[in-house]
mmCIF file of all heavy atoms in Angstrom:
data_model
loop_
_atom_site.group_PDB
_atom_site.id
_atom_site.type_symbol
_atom_site.label_atom_id
_atom_site.label_comp_id
_atom_site.label_asym_id
_atom_site.label_seq_id
_atom_site.Cartn_x
_atom_site.Cartn_y
_atom_site.Cartn_z
ATOM 1 N N LEU A 71 52.402 46.460 -12.640
ATOM 2 C CA LEU A 71 51.186 45.668 -12.401
ATOM 3 C C LEU A 71 51.061 44.514 -13.388
ATOM 4 O O LEU A 71 50.707 43.386 -13.039
ATOM 5 C CB LEU A 71 49.945 46.560 -12.488
ATOM 6 C CG LEU A 71 49.735 47.541 -11.325
ATOM 7 C CD1 LEU A 71 48.561 48.476 -11.606
ATOM 8 C CD2 LEU A 71 49.474 46.760 -10.030
ATOM 9 N N VAL A 72 51.351 44.785 -14.662
ATOM 10 C CA VAL A 72 51.274 43.743 -15.695
ATOM 11 C C VAL A 72 52.257 42.628 -15.393
ATOM 12 O O VAL A 72 51.947 41.429 -15.470
ATOM 13 C CB VAL A 72 51.526 44.338 -17.091
ATOM 14 C CG1 VAL A 72 51.691 43.225 -18.123
ATOM 15 C CG2 VAL A 72 50.397 45.271 -17.484
ATOM 16 N N ILE A 73 53.493 43.047 -15.026
ATOM 17 C CA ILE A 73 54.526 42.045 -14.708
ATOM 18 C C ILE A 73 54.091 41.202 -13.517
ATOM 19 O O ILE A 73 54.256 39.977 -13.486
ATOM 20 C CB ILE A 73 55.877 42.744 -14.429
ATOM 21 C CG1 ILE A 73 56.415 43.379 -15.709
ATOM 22 C CG2 ILE A 73 56.878 41.756 -13.846
ATOM 23 C CD1 ILE A 73 57.636 44.273 -15.484
ATOM 24 N N ALA A 74 53.471 41.834 -12.509
ATOM 25 C CA ALA A 74 53.022 41.119 -11.305
ATOM 26 C C ALA A 74 51.936 40.097 -11.648
ATOM 27 O O ALA A 74 51.924 38.965 -11.155
ATOM 28 C CB ALA A 74 52.518 42.124 -10.269
ATOM 29 N N ILE A 75 51.003 40.518 -12.510
ATOM 30 C CA ILE A 75 49.915 39.612 -12.905
ATOM 31 C C ILE A 75 50.459 38.408 -13.658
ATOM 32 O O ILE A 75 50.072 37.269 -13.429
ATOM 33 C CB ILE A 75 48.868 40.364 -13.754
ATOM 34 C CG1 ILE A 75 48.125 41.387 -12.877
ATOM 35 C CG2 ILE A 75 47.880 39.376 -14.391
ATOM 36 C CD1 ILE A 75 47.233 42.345 -13.668
ATOM 37 N N LEU A 76 51.383 38.655 -14.583
ATOM 38 C CA LEU A 76 51.970 37.553 -15.347
ATOM 39 C C LEU A 76 52.728 36.599 -14.438
ATOM 40 O O LEU A 76 52.686 35.378 -14.590
ATOM 41 C CB LEU A 76 52.904 38.122 -16.430
ATOM 42 C CG LEU A 76 52.233 38.863 -17.592
ATOM 43 C CD1 LEU A 76 53.294 39.518 -18.495
ATOM 44 C CD2 LEU A 76 51.360 37.912 -18.393
ATOM 45 N N ALA A 77 53.405 37.132 -13.449
ATOM 46 C CA ALA A 77 54.157 36.292 -12.515
ATOM 47 C C ALA A 77 53.213 35.426 -11.693
ATOM 48 O O ALA A 77 53.453 34.232 -11.472
ATOM 49 C CB ALA A 77 55.021 37.177 -11.609
ATOM 50 N N ALA A 78 52.119 36.053 -11.239
ATOM 51 C CA ALA A 78 51.134 35.303 -10.433
ATOM 52 C C ALA A 78 50.508 34.182 -11.252
ATOM 53 O O ALA A 78 50.294 33.066 -10.769
ATOM 54 C CB ALA A 78 50.057 36.258 -9.916
ATOM 55 N N THR A 79 50.213 34.498 -12.534
ATOM 56 C CA THR A 79 49.630 33.480 -13.415
ATOM 57 C C THR A 79 50.581 32.316 -13.606
ATOM 58 O O THR A 79 50.189 31.148 -13.572
ATOM 59 C CB THR A 79 49.282 34.097 -14.784
ATOM 60 O OG1 THR A 79 48.402 35.187 -14.592
ATOM 61 C CG2 THR A 79 48.655 33.056 -15.695
ATOM 62 N N ALA A 80 51.840 32.630 -13.768
ATOM 63 C CA ALA A 80 52.848 31.576 -13.949
ATOM 64 C C ALA A 80 52.935 30.687 -12.730
ATOM 65 O O ALA A 80 53.073 29.464 -12.824
ATOM 66 C CB ALA A 80 54.205 32.210 -14.260
ATOM 67 N N ILE A 81 52.839 31.302 -11.568
ATOM 68 C CA ILE A 81 52.902 30.531 -10.312
ATOM 69 C C ILE A 81 51.712 29.589 -10.199
ATOM 70 O O ILE A 81 51.830 28.421 -9.841
ATOM 71 C CB ILE A 81 52.958 31.482 -9.099
ATOM 72 C CG1 ILE A 81 54.292 32.214 -9.082
ATOM 73 C CG2 ILE A 81 52.743 30.716 -7.796
ATOM 74 C CD1 ILE A 81 54.355 33.344 -8.056
ATOM 75 N N VAL A 82 50.477 30.079 -10.532
ATOM 76 C CA VAL A 82 49.259 29.259 -10.459
ATOM 77 C C VAL A 82 49.349 28.079 -11.409
ATOM 78 O O VAL A 82 49.047 26.937 -11.062
ATOM 79 C CB VAL A 82 48.009 30.110 -10.769
ATOM 80 C CG1 VAL A 82 46.797 29.201 -10.940
ATOM 81 C CG2 VAL A 82 47.776 31.126 -9.658
ATOM 82 N N VAL A 83 49.760 28.360 -12.652
ATOM 83 C CA VAL A 83 49.887 27.298 -13.644
ATOM 84 C C VAL A 83 50.894 26.263 -13.176
ATOM 85 O O VAL A 83 50.684 25.050 -13.285
ATOM 86 C CB VAL A 83 50.290 27.878 -15.016
ATOM 87 C CG1 VAL A 83 50.657 26.753 -15.977
ATOM 88 C CG2 VAL A 83 49.173 28.732 -15.578
ATOM 89 N N SER A 84 52.011 26.753 -12.639
ATOM 90 C CA SER A 84 53.046 25.840 -12.145
ATOM 91 C C SER A 84 52.508 24.980 -11.017
ATOM 92 O O SER A 84 52.766 23.779 -10.952
ATOM 93 C CB SER A 84 54.267 26.651 -11.683
ATOM 94 O OG SER A 84 55.233 25.801 -11.098
ATOM 95 N N THR A 85 51.749 25.610 -10.129
ATOM 96 C CA THR A 85 51.181 24.867 -8.984
ATOM 97 C C THR A 85 50.208 23.802 -9.459
ATOM 98 O O THR A 85 50.215 22.667 -8.986
ATOM 99 C CB THR A 85 50.457 25.838 -8.024
ATOM 100 O OG1 THR A 85 51.388 26.811 -7.588
ATOM 101 C CG2 THR A 85 49.884 25.092 -6.828
ATOM 102 N N LEU A 86 49.329 24.159 -10.388
ATOM 103 C CA LEU A 86 48.371 23.184 -10.919
ATOM 104 C C LEU A 86 49.085 22.012 -11.553
ATOM 105 O O LEU A 86 48.696 20.853 -11.407
ATOM 106 C CB LEU A 86 47.450 23.862 -11.947
ATOM 107 C CG LEU A 86 46.433 24.849 -11.374
ATOM 108 C CD1 LEU A 86 45.690 25.550 -12.524
ATOM 109 C CD2 LEU A 86 45.447 24.134 -10.459
ATOM 110 N N PHE A 87 50.137 22.297 -12.304
ATOM 111 C CA PHE A 87 50.893 21.235 -12.954
ATOM 112 C C PHE A 87 51.514 20.317 -11.895
ATOM 113 O O PHE A 87 51.482 19.103 -12.000
ATOM 114 C CB PHE A 87 51.979 21.846 -13.846
ATOM 115 C CG PHE A 87 52.857 20.802 -14.493
ATOM 116 C CD1 PHE A 87 52.400 20.095 -15.593
ATOM 117 C CD2 PHE A 87 54.122 20.510 -13.984
ATOM 118 C CE1 PHE A 87 53.186 19.120 -16.192
ATOM 119 C CE2 PHE A 87 54.908 19.547 -14.578
ATOM 120 C CZ PHE A 87 54.455 18.843 -15.675
ATOM 121 N N ASP A 88 52.071 20.985 -10.845
ATOM 122 C CA ASP A 88 52.695 20.194 -9.791
ATOM 123 C C ASP A 88 51.672 19.315 -9.084
ATOM 124 O O ASP A 88 51.935 18.158 -8.748
ATOM 125 C CB ASP A 88 53.372 21.115 -8.763
ATOM 126 C CG ASP A 88 54.639 21.742 -9.348
ATOM 127 O OD1 ASP A 88 55.118 21.235 -10.381
ATOM 128 O OD2 ASP A 88 55.125 22.743 -8.770
ATOM 129 N N GLU A 89 50.427 19.864 -8.814
ATOM 130 C CA GLU A 89 49.394 19.086 -8.136
ATOM 131 C C GLU A 89 48.954 17.904 -8.996
ATOM 132 O O GLU A 89 48.712 16.807 -8.500
ATOM 133 C CB GLU A 89 48.196 19.975 -7.826
ATOM 134 C CG GLU A 89 48.450 20.929 -6.658
ATOM 135 C CD GLU A 89 47.217 21.738 -6.316
ATOM 136 O OE1 GLU A 89 46.222 21.642 -7.067
ATOM 137 O OE2 GLU A 89 47.240 22.461 -5.308
ATOM 138 N N GLU A 90 48.835 18.114 -10.309
ATOM 139 C CA GLU A 90 48.436 17.024 -11.198
ATOM 140 C C GLU A 90 49.496 15.938 -11.203
ATOM 141 O O GLU A 90 49.192 14.747 -11.139
ATOM 142 C CB GLU A 90 48.209 17.564 -12.614
ATOM 143 C CG GLU A 90 47.698 16.501 -13.572
ATOM 144 C CD GLU A 90 47.397 17.081 -14.947
ATOM 145 O OE1 GLU A 90 47.286 18.308 -15.054
ATOM 146 O OE2 GLU A 90 47.297 16.278 -15.892
ATOM 147 N N THR A 91 50.784 16.401 -11.262
ATOM 148 C CA THR A 91 51.882 15.434 -11.229
ATOM 149 C C THR A 91 51.879 14.679 -9.905
ATOM 150 O O THR A 91 52.020 13.459 -9.855
ATOM 151 C CB THR A 91 53.229 16.152 -11.418
ATOM 152 O OG1 THR A 91 53.192 16.889 -12.637
ATOM 153 C CG2 THR A 91 54.380 15.145 -11.445
ATOM 154 N N GLN A 92 51.659 15.442 -8.816
ATOM 155 C CA GLN A 92 51.625 14.837 -7.495
ATOM 156 C C GLN A 92 50.454 13.857 -7.390
ATOM 157 O O GLN A 92 50.585 12.775 -6.830
ATOM 158 C CB GLN A 92 51.480 15.941 -6.454
ATOM 159 C CG GLN A 92 51.592 15.453 -5.007
ATOM 160 C CD GLN A 92 51.447 16.584 -4.018
ATOM 161 O OE1 GLN A 92 50.539 17.408 -4.173
ATOM 162 N NE2 GLN A 92 52.317 16.647 -3.041
#
Side-chain angles (χ1 to χ4, degrees):
L71 288 174
V72 170
I73 292 171
I75 292 170
L76 290 173
T79 303
I81 291 170
V82 170
V83 170
S84 175
T85 302
L86 289 174
F87 177 78
D88 288 344
E89 285 184 353
E90 184 176 343
T91 304
Q92 187 180 46

